[in-house]
């Protein structure tokens, strides 16, 4: 089983991203940007989505994220997505490959 951790964040938290970046497991940090010219843009492990970025836009952000993740070739071998918030920590027992 191959898991991708999908960490929900926003542009206001951009300064926190270095501390949130994955160590020992595969993860993307998602962030909304309604001004994108495409539906998504993957830069390293940051996935920018063409959607609103506020908390009230969470359903829109998650649908956009899953659509993008299913489309991106790099993630074709992923079996499961695990959504995390920016304040969640990952225990070593959750790091499944």
């Amino acid at each position: 089983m191959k898991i991708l951790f999908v960490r929900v964040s926003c542009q206001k938290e951009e300064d926190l991203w270095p501390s949130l970046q994955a160590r020992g497991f595969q993860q993307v940090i998602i962030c909304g940007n309604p001004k994108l010219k495409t539906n998504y843009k993957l830069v390293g492990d940051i996935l920018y989505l063409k959607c609103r970025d506020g908390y009230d836009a969470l359903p829109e952000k998650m649908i956009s994220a899953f659509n993008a993740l299913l489309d991106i070739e790099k993630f074709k071998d992923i079996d499961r997505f695990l959504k995390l918030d920016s304040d969640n920590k990952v225990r070593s027992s959750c790091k499944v490959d």
Side-chain angles (χ1 to χ4, degrees), residues 4-16:
L4 177 67
F5 292 84
V6 180
R7 189 174 298 273
V8 178
S9 188
C10 61
Q11 291 186 11
K12 288 189 316 191
E13 296 181 336
E14 187 174 9
D15 59 323
L16 299 176

Side-chain angles (χ1 to χ4, degrees), residues 20-34:
L20 298 175
Q21 288 175 311
R23 292 168 183 87
F25 56 94
Q26 194 170 8
Q27 170 185 266
V28 293
I29 297 172
I30 63 171
C31 175
N33 180 350

